[in-house]
Amino acid sequence: MPLFQTIECNENTRILIWEITESFDELRSKIVLKEKTQLRLNGMKSEMHQRAFLSVRMLIQEMGFTDKDLHYDEFGKPYFDCDNYISITHSYHFAAIIISNETVGIDMELQREKIIRIGDKFTDYECKYLKPDFSEEYIKKLTVIWGAKEAIFKIRNEKGISFKDHIQIEPFSLDESKTQASLHFDNLVKDFEVHYKEIQSKNSEDKFTLVFAFER
């Protein structure tokens, strides 16, 4: 059972990461789904997406929950019928969840050169400290920034938020593991604590960036 890693962020927050190696049938046989979830699964065209979706259910089972406990609001944000917050992410052959009694968001991204081509679509404030080039460090920093903005968006989940115009990631070093960020939107400013970590696949040379954020 490929529970890849468990990260104890603090006494109230835990991250579970699943490396997806099982077939669809293997995963499906281990999970009881409510009818609404089964219909959603049936509507997915990609088997990889289906396997990631089921892997998330495996992860919540690891935490003592079931599919019946997991719901989605009108904007697609997941929640439990209890005081715990949950955020979900999946990227290629990884799926991950964060569960906390604090407001949290999570994202996981494959590190790849493609992000350089779209960097100007989601950075503005960050251009003050970024040094654009094709280096591995630049790719990693852009991936942290994208992941941080994705995690923050998952927390707020409000229509009209622009990654480029409304979310600002403060300068950071890859040698460290956290930074600060802020959301400037709808005449409000919200502050966030952002953490990031590199994840190395056991089954390939692929490297991923895991980012999670707490609203402050």
Side-chain angles (χ1 to χ4, degrees):
M1 188 166 62
L3 179 60
F4 179 82
Q5 189 173 359
T6 299
I7 302 171
E8 302 288 347
C9 306
N10 57 47
E11 62 182 7
N12 300 310
T13 307
R14 181 182 292 180
I15 293 172
L16 274 68
I17 304 171
W18 192 276
E19 187 160 21
I20 308 165
T21 59
E22 308 94 335
S23 68
F24 171 86
D25 290 336
E26 285 178 298
L27 288 166
R28 183 66 189 87
S29 67
K30 298 175 182 177
I31 302 168
V32 176
L33 298 179
K34 58 192 176 191
E35 183 180 359
K36 186 175 182 179
T37 305
Q38 183 64 56
L39 290 172
R40 184 176 175 187
L41 180 67
N42 294 344
M44 295 177 183
K45 297 180 180 179
S46 163
E47 184 178 297
M48 188 67 245
H49 192 188
Q50 289 178 320
R51 290 164 66 204
F53 185 78
L54 292 172
S55 296
V56 168
R57 272 72 197 162
M58 296 294 288
L59 288 170
I60 66 171
Q61 284 185 179
E62 288 284 325
M63 290 292 291
F65 295 93
T66 71
D67 180 60
K68 291 183 179 180
D69 301 314
L70 184 64
H71 309 283
Y72 293 85
D73 67 16
E74 59 183 309
F75 303 108
K77 185 176 181 178
Y79 67 93
F80 288 131
D81 286 327
C82 63
D83 293 334
N84 290 113
Y85 292 91
I86 180 172
S87 185
I88 294 168
T89 185
H90 45 81
S91 180
Y92 293 85
H93 50 278
F94 278 108
I97 62 171
I98 186 169
I99 294 179
S100 178
N101 63 2
E102 302 179 64
T103 309
V104 291
I106 193 171
D107 189 57
M108 192 169 183
E109 300 288 340
L110 175 65
Q111 296 172 8
R112 50 183 179 162
E113 287 188 6
K114 179 182 177 181
I115 199 167
I116 295 173
R117 300 201 300 271
I118 61 170
D120 62 343
K121 305 292 185 185
F122 63 89
T123 59
D124 183 24
Y125 175 84
E126 299 77 21
C127 294
K128 297 176 182 177
Y129 60 83
L130 284 175
K131 295 181 180 179
D133 56 30
F134 287 87
S135 69
E136 185 178 1
E137 179 178 348
Y138 183 53
I139 292 169
K140 289 183 177 183
K141 283 195 167 185
L142 281 177
T143 308
V144 169
I145 291 168
W146 173 265
K149 295 191 177 195
E150 186 72 49
I152 289 167
F153 180 77
K154 287 179 180 179
I155 291 173
R156 300 303 303 180
N157 206 22
E158 296 176 43
K159 187 177 180 180
I161 292 176
S162 162
F163 282 19
K164 181 173 183 174
D165 300 328
H166 300 138
I167 305 176
Q168 300 180 357
I169 311 301
E170 296 301 323
F172 62 95
S173 168
L174 294 174
D175 295 329
E176 299 176 357
S177 60
K178 71 177 182 177
T179 187
Q180 305 298 314
S182 54
L183 172 67
H184 303 252
F185 183 70
D186 201 19
N187 297 318
L188 292 174
V189 178
K190 295 287 185 179
D191 295 319
F192 300 85
E193 182 179 291
V194 174
H195 300 255
Y196 46 92
K197 178 181 177 65
E198 185 172 273
I199 303 294
Q200 172 71 61
S201 172
K202 293 179 180 177
N203 297 312
S204 73
E205 295 181 358
D206 292 338
K207 294 181 181 179
F208 293 76
T209 298
L210 178 75
V211 187
F212 55 100
F214 296 90
E215 183 174 342
R216 297 306 185 202

